[in-house]
């Protein structure tokens, strides 16, 4: 199985996404409880823009247990997939799980903020985005105003008269 999965991943690296996906589907059918294989199969559907087909593979991968690095990717992938499918509450739930497990993962935070936007939780979405920006930027102009941006990040609707 490992050799065939490596072939499938190489095909994806070469841009042969459909061929990679087809091989991963066959492997996932032969080894239905292999979490990493389920994750790779989900990813292969995402690459093809077939998010609805990716979701059950992500779900199984997470359920069966993944190593930490792959779990981070699967949570991000599943949360994003749910969001693109309009399943915003499911997306929020999986991102909150991800933030609980991986509180320093800024990509999860950014994707979570998109879900919050879709749920009309605009203030919280902006607060998370602004904090993520401040925590990761090297831009001197933003750094210069970091204190003010951080102060206002959760007060966007407030006015001072």
């Amino acid at each position: 199985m490992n050799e065939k999965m490596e072939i499938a991943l190489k095909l994806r690296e070469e841009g042969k996404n459909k061929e990679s996906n087809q091989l991963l589907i066959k492997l996932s059918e032969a080894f239905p409880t292999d979490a990493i294989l389920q994750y790779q199969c989900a990813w292969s559907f995402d690459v093809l823009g077939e998010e609805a087909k990716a979701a059950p593979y992500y779900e199984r991968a997470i359920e069966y247990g993944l190593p930490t690095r792959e779990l981070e990717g699967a949570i991000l992938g599943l949360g994003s997939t749910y969001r693109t499918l309009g399943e915003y509450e499911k997306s929020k739930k999986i991102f909150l799980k991800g933030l609980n497990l991986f509180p320093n993962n800024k990509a999860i935070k950014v994707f979570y903020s998109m879900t919050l936007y879709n749920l009309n939780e605009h203030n919280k979405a902006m607060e998370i985005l602004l904090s993520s920006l401040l925590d990761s930027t090297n831009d001197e102009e933003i750094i210069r105003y970091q204190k003010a941006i951080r102060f206002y990040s959760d007060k966007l609707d407030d006015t001072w008269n």
Side-chain angles (χ1 to χ4, degrees), residues 1-13 16 19-28 30-31 33-44 61 66-67 70:
M1 176 196 68
N2 288 338
E3 184 179 311
K4 288 185 179 181
M5 187 162 63
E6 287 188 29
I7 292 168
L9 299 182
K10 181 141 178 62
L11 287 168
R12 185 167 60 208
E13 285 176 19
K16 298 175 183 173
E19 295 91 336
S20 173
N21 173 261
Q22 290 169 347
L23 181 52
L24 287 166
I25 291 169
K26 287 178 187 172
L27 287 170
S28 73
F31 303 94
T33 60
D34 185 288
I36 291 177
L37 186 53
Q38 296 297 314
Y39 171 56
Q40 290 299 332
C41 198
W43 187 349
S44 75
L66 288 165
E70 287 81 2

Side-chain angles (χ1 to χ4, degrees), residues 29-88:
E29 290 169 354
F31 303 94
T33 60
D34 185 288
I36 291 177
L37 186 53
Q38 296 297 314
Y39 171 56
Q40 290 299 332
C41 198
W43 187 349
S44 75
F45 278 114
D46 263 351
V47 169
L48 293 171
E50 298 183 33
E51 285 82 1
K53 292 180 181 176
Y57 289 94
Y58 279 128
E59 291 164 352
R60 285 191 295 270
I62 292 168
E63 177 186 340
Y64 297 154
L66 288 165
T68 301
R69 186 75 180 140
E70 287 81 2
L71 180 59
E72 277 184 277
I75 285 173
L76 194 141
L78 181 57
S80 178
T81 293
Y82 283 153
R83 191 190 73 77
T84 62
L85 296 173
E87 296 185 40
Y88 305 129

